[in-house]
């Protein structure tokens, strides 16, 4: 993509309304624009990141055996009355009436609708286990939306829902999502630690929030230091291996890890001094087993192997891709701007022509641009007639992982400069060697 043909509305000044790093940088880098309180338009650069995040989420859900569908944003109120949640949900739910005065709502979550879909088609235990997911926009009317995408009203959510004939099967479905989440966040350059979360009136301990450590995190979290060195399961993990998955989950839940709501000060203090980590954290995912909470009132039953009908056991599993855009920035930035991990970067490399209009630099830039595109690499060619300092600032701000700096002095020696955004390291290479390195 040539910058001269791209839509990238860079802001040189920090917007006053932006309170945290991710909000400031997303507005300055031309990734999004606020349309109303807590509601944002994703501009082209931001959309590219969001799509890459969604692709990773989708790949890991599919790898675990989950099946994608797509549910609507608007839901009938009657479904929520069946579960008993319509009146209880509160003012966060946006309630709507259509032209026929039918009561609707803009979905904040989809437990009721997915249960309705399930009960319409599934009758036998032979059709289980089943895990259905979608990636869809949600709306929760936050009383005070703030921090950009971290606490917005409209947001993109991946929500999955598992159905099993009994609790034992539901635990295995839960473990699948647990491991899938570890892999998902690791692929995005995030070190997510599963922490026991509140299960409310259902009880038990099958609820975990996945937390990343960041100085600008929402709340205080506490964990054992060894979590920072745990190896995430590789892509060959067998999701049908029941004892194997359980062993992995047991390892990742064996040490102390808690948010402020679940913090046990005495248990934390009992840890060795050099093992205690107290930091700020950002929630990037939440998984939850809730048994028959929805299947019983909504009569989602299957016939078991004994011929008796029984409510299915369910779980729900959420990841917010739009929130993840902000969370990744909170974990990967410096004073100059964003430092995207390769897997979610809007472009893999930026070509900076340091003397636009010069025959040699123009020709070398075009040649490298064409070669990289031919290898399927996402490349942004900064071909505008701007000063080198301005081009450096833009490339650092938007966080492209690699920069190729092409100037007359380097070309006179048959070289270009390759800069790594993550650590600022630089190397002079022949153009063909720079292309090979990025390939």
């Amino acid at each position: 993509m040539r910058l001269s043909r791209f839509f990238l509305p860079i802001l040189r000044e920090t917007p006053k309304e932006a309170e945290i790093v991710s909000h400031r940088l997303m507005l300055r880098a031309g990734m999004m624009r606020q349309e109303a309180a807590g509601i944002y338009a994703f501009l082209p650069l931001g959309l590219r990141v969001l799509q890459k995040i969604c692709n990773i989420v989708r790949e890991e859900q599919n790898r675990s055996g989950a099946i994608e569908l797509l549910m609507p944003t608007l839901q009938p109120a009657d479904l929520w009355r069946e579960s008993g949640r319509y009146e209880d949900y509160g003012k966060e739910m946006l309630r709507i009436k259509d032209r026929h005065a039918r009561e609707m709502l803009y979905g904040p979550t989809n437990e009721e609708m997915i249960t309705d879909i399930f009960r319409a088609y599934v009758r036998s235990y032979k059709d289980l286990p089943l895990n259905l997911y979608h990636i869809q926009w949600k709306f929760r009317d936050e009383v005070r939306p703030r921090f950009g995408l971290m606490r917005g009203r409209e947001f993109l959510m991946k929500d999955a829902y598992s159905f099993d004939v009994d609790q034992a099967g539901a635990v295995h479905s839960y473990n699948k999502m647990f491991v899938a989440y570890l892999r998902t966040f690791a692929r995005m350059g995030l070190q997510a630690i599963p922490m026991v979360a509140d299960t409310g009136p259902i009880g038990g301990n099958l609820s975990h929030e996945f937390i990343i450590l960041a100085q600008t995190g929402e709340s205080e979290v506490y964990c054992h230091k060894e979590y920072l060195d745990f190896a995430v399961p590789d892509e060959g993990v067998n999701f049908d291996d029941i004892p194997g998955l359980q062993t992995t989950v047991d390892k990742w839940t064996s040490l102390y890890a808690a948010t402020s709501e679940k913090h046990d000060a005495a248990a934390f203090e009992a840890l060795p001094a050099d093992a205690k980590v107290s930091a700020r954290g950002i929630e990037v995912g939440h998984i939850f087993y809730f048994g028959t909470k929805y299947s019983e009132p909504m009569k989602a039953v299957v016939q078991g192997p004994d011929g008796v009908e029984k409510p299915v056991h369910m779980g729900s599993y959420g990841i917010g891709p739009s929130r993840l855009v902000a969370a990744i920035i909170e974990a990967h930035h410096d004073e100059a701007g964003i430092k995207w991990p390769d897997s979610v970067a809007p472009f893999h490399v930026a070509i900076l022509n340091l003397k636009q209009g010069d025959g040699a630099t123009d020709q070398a830039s075009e040649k490298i641009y064409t070669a990289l595109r031919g290898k399927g690499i996402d490349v942004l060619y900064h071909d505008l007639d701007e000063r080198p300092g301005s081009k450096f600032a833009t490339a650092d701000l938007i966080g492209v992982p690699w920069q190729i700096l092409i100037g007359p002095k380097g070309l006179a020696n048959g070289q270009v400069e390759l800069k790594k955004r993550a650590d600022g390291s630089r190397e002079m290479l022949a153009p063909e060697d720079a292309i090979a390195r990025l390939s």
Side-chain angles (χ1 to χ4, degrees):
M1 177 63 66
R2 299 175 187 274
L3 187 54
S4 59
R5 299 178 186 173
F6 194 56
F7 181 58
L8 185 64
I10 294 288
L11 301 180
R12 297 302 175 189
E13 301 296 327
T14 299
K16 293 181 181 179
E17 71 272 18
E19 299 177 66
I20 62 173
V21 170
S22 59
H23 194 188
R24 292 197 299 268
L25 290 178
M26 288 191 72
L27 291 174
R28 284 198 55 217
M31 294 180 65
M32 69 178 189
R33 182 180 188 276
Q34 181 171 312
E35 300 298 333
I39 299 175
Y40 295 87
F42 272 84
L43 303 182
L45 192 76
L47 182 60
R48 291 178 72 92
V49 175
L50 183 64
Q51 289 171 332
K52 291 193 175 185
I53 288 172
C54 287
N55 287 342
I56 291 174
V57 170
R58 183 173 283 114
E59 287 169 6
E60 293 304 326
Q61 289 293 289
N62 295 347
R63 191 193 306 276
S64 74
I67 302 167
E68 187 173 9
L69 47 64
L70 183 61
M71 290 177 274
T73 56
L74 294 181
Q75 304 182 30
D78 286 345
L79 281 180
W80 284 64
R81 289 196 172 96
E82 278 192 67
S83 71
R85 286 208 298 173
Y86 186 69
E87 301 300 335
D88 296 340
Y89 203 87
K91 293 183 178 180
E92 286 74 27
M93 180 187 287
L94 181 61
R95 293 166 168 85
I96 306 165
K97 286 187 179 180
D98 67 12
R99 67 173 63 197
H100 302 292
R102 289 176 294 216
E103 292 180 295
M104 311 286 286
L105 59 100
Y106 194 128
T109 183
N110 280 78
E111 282 84 357
E112 284 80 3
M113 181 165 283
I114 197 68
T115 303
D116 183 50
I117 291 172
F118 175 88
R119 70 183 177 182
Y121 300 107
V122 182
R123 295 284 185 270
S124 170
Y125 74 96
K126 295 179 181 179
D127 296 319
L128 302 180
L130 185 63
N131 189 329
L132 301 172
Y133 79 96
H134 73 157
I135 300 175
Q136 180 60 287
W137 292 97
K138 303 283 193 291
F139 187 90
R140 294 176 189 166
D141 202 358
E142 291 276 354
V143 63
R144 190 186 173 198
R146 57 194 302 223
F147 303 147
L149 298 180
M150 295 297 289
R151 190 177 296 175
R153 292 194 295 164
E154 185 183 56
F155 53 94
L156 191 62
M157 175 68 72
K158 185 288 301 182
D159 38 326
Y161 304 92
S162 62
F163 301 86
D164 287 272
V165 71
D166 55 24
Q167 185 175 11
V171 169
H172 181 51
S173 292
Y174 184 94
N175 289 347
K176 286 182 179 181
M177 288 291 99
F178 189 106
V179 172
Y181 275 38
L182 291 176
R183 285 191 42 75
T184 297
F185 300 126
R187 287 185 59 189
M188 297 177 192
L190 297 175
Q191 193 166 39
I193 301 170
M195 300 190 179
V196 176
D198 189 7
T199 56
I202 297 171
N205 62 357
L206 277 185
S207 179
H208 287 88
E209 294 178 2
F210 288 76
I211 304 290
I212 64 167
L213 306 183
Q215 291 181 348
T216 50
E218 308 154 285
S219 59
E220 195 79 9
V221 297
Y222 309 84
C223 69
H224 197 292
K225 187 178 181 180
E226 285 186 20
Y227 276 120
L228 304 180
D229 298 318
F230 276 8
V232 171
D234 63 29
E235 63 181 14
V237 60
N238 182 1
F239 283 96
D240 295 322
D241 180 0
I242 295 175
L245 282 192
Q246 188 63 61
T247 298
T248 299
V249 173
D250 289 345
K251 175 185 176 182
W252 280 87
T253 56
S254 61
L255 302 174
Y256 188 87
T259 61
S260 55
E261 293 84 357
K262 300 289 288 185
H263 181 48
D264 182 338
F268 185 68
E269 286 303 317
L271 298 178
D274 61 353
K276 289 188 283 191
V277 174
S278 174
R280 308 295 294 180
I282 300 172
E283 179 190 341
V284 291
H286 191 177
I287 60 177
F288 195 95
Y289 163 71
F290 47 70
T292 59
K293 177 180 173 68
Y294 297 94
S295 59
E296 281 195 30
M298 297 186 69
K299 298 179 174 59
V301 300
V302 294
Q303 188 178 70
D306 56 3
V308 178
E309 287 191 339
K310 58 185 69 177
V312 292
H313 287 247
M314 296 174 58
S316 68
Y317 317 91
I319 290 177
S322 55
R323 180 184 174 88
L324 269 167
V325 178
I328 293 170
I329 294 173
E330 294 291 338
H332 297 278
H333 70 272
D334 61 15
E335 292 184 358
I338 306 166
K339 299 163 73 171
W340 292 115
D342 285 5
S343 60
V344 296
F347 297 96
H348 184 63
V349 57
I351 296 173
L352 310 185
N353 186 342
L354 303 185
K355 194 172 183 181
Q356 198 73 35
D358 178 84
T361 61
D362 286 357
Q363 183 179 16
S365 297
E366 290 287 348
K367 185 176 181 179
I368 293 174
Y369 177 60
T370 301
L372 290 173
R373 290 187 69 199
K375 293 179 178 295
I377 295 172
D378 280 335
V379 55
L380 179 67
Y381 175 19
H382 196 323
D383 60 343
L384 300 178
D385 187 12
E386 295 180 359
R387 292 173 301 170
S390 176
K391 294 191 176 188
F392 299 153
T394 295
D396 283 349
L397 174 62
I398 66 176
V400 179
W402 295 93
Q403 301 170 21
I404 298 180
L405 285 53
I406 304 173
K409 187 178 294 186
L411 283 181
N413 297 318
Q415 293 182 317
V416 297
E417 188 172 9
L418 183 64
K419 175 185 172 182
K420 187 176 182 180
R421 176 70 179 96
D423 59 13
S425 60
R426 298 166 181 262
E427 187 176 1
M428 299 301 296
L429 296 169
E432 57 270 21
D433 291 335
I435 293 169
R437 178 76 59 84
L438 293 169
S439 302

